[in-house]
Amino acid sequence: MATALRVFFVLALMSVWVSTRANPQGPLQSDYYLWTCPRAEAIIAAGVQRAVAQEARMAGSLLRLHFHDCFVNGCDGSVLLDDTPTFEGEKTAAPNNNSIRGFEVIDAIKEELESACPGKVSCADILAVVARDSVVLTGGPSWEVLLGRRDSLTASKADANNSIPPPTSDISTLIQSFKNLGLTQKDLVTLSGAHTIGKARCASFSGRIMGIEPDGTIQTEYLTSLQQLCSQGFVINNDTLASLDLETPETFDNQYYANLRSGEGLLKTDQLLYSNGTETTRDLVQFYIKGQQEFFVQFKKSMVKMGNIKPLTGTNGEIRSNCRSINSHTSA
């Protein structure tokens, strides 16, 4: 009888614990899916590995999705929603249109997760884990991703246009955009280091390489190479791609910062951190040039901090069954 009571008591406690984990009211937790979907992170990692093996560029694209999600009303998976009759989503906002990609990879991962653990793993959490795994696969640091986000019920093209700083921003705009989200100048410089992998379309930097007076902060030979890459006579090939890091484009390292010192930052918002930034941003660039490990340590901290921007938890939002659309019945 005593043994039976002990077993009942343990099972009751486990039931309460699992219920609490499924509906957290407090901070996000690294072991959120321990009981509800123990293979969640393994399934996500396998999906990222397949995608990056097929196309190395995808690592940078998946990392960028998490950034662009968190910068618009928090890390809630809203960037993944397609337009509906009731709202215009974020995919066609100016900073995202013809730019963010990787949605099919998220779809495939979500399909696997729904098969293994129906209705348990949010799209917002998938984005957070995918970002970490993309960094690791390209040689960067790993960190514990805090989990338990739920998915938004809407998205806003207008908010995306207002919240994501364009690549033509000046330093004060960049600093203010990050400050609005509780991120510091250190976070700005550190998270910009994500541009050590990935590519950008000529359309995002053509304004600084063309015309009578190109951007004077660009190193001369690099400027010439970009002009040749992006133009055909007097016509700009907007869709042509250039590596964000010309030296080690598929490796997550600190080379990005060395590029800035030599005038080889691709985007205006990259180069100005060193050439037209504040004393703080310039000093941090110099610091990370000398210490890759210091960059890695702070990058992990800044990613966790960014991932905690206004997550939906508890009964807010839902767990979408398809990341592109809200559920028919929002009682997840």
Side-chain angles (χ1 to χ4, degrees), residues 30-109:
S30 61
D31 58 350
Y32 182 85
Y33 296 112
L34 180 62
W35 291 92
T36 57
C37 192
R39 293 186 57 242
E41 291 193 58
I43 290 171
I44 296 171
V48 175
Q49 192 165 17
R50 286 193 301 270
V52 174
Q54 291 173 2
E55 183 193 10
R57 178 192 172 199
M58 189 55 71
S61 299
L62 294 173
L63 177 56
R64 191 160 179 250
L65 273 179
H66 184 44
F67 274 73
H68 282 231
D69 183 40
C70 292
F71 265 66
V72 185
N73 299 318
C75 310
D76 60 3
S78 59
V79 71
L80 302 173
L81 287 172
D82 291 335
D83 292 351
T84 73
T86 59
F87 66 78
E88 273 191 291
E90 297 162 25
K91 292 180 179 179
T92 57
N96 294 336
N97 195 33
N98 295 318
S99 178
I100 55 171
R101 58 196 293 274
F103 301 110
E104 295 80 7
V105 176
I106 303 301
D107 291 341
I109 291 171

Side-chain angles (χ1 to χ4, degrees), residues 118-184:
K120 299 301 181 184
V121 182
S122 70
C123 301
D125 275 349
I126 293 173
L127 289 178
V129 177
V130 156
R132 188 269 314 275
D133 292 347
S134 296
V135 170
V136 172
L137 276 175
T138 50
S142 183
W143 62 92
E144 279 194 343
V145 178
L146 301 181
L147 302 167
R149 301 168 189 79
R150 287 167 65 86
D151 299 320
S152 69
L153 303 176
T154 188
S156 171
K157 179 178 181 177
D159 288 346
N161 281 326
N162 292 329
S163 301
I164 303 172
T168 55
S169 300
D170 58 25
I171 189 64
S172 60
T173 301
L174 272 185
I175 291 172
Q176 188 60 52
S177 295
F178 275 67
K179 186 178 180 181
N180 291 343
L181 299 171
L183 300 173
T184 65

Side-chain angles (χ1 to χ4, degrees), residues 291-329:
Q292 177 166 281
Q293 188 57 33
E294 287 76 10
F295 163 50
F296 281 4
V297 168
Q298 185 57 46
F299 187 81
K300 294 188 290 185
K301 293 178 181 177
S302 292
M303 284 295 289
V304 171
K305 186 176 179 180
M306 183 186 75
N308 272 283
I309 297 174
K310 296 195 297 186
L312 298 174
T313 58
T315 57
N316 296 314
E318 65 177 8
I319 306 297
R320 291 185 214 135
S321 57
N322 180 331
C323 291
R324 293 174 180 262
S325 59
I326 64 172
N327 300 333
S328 297
H329 303 284

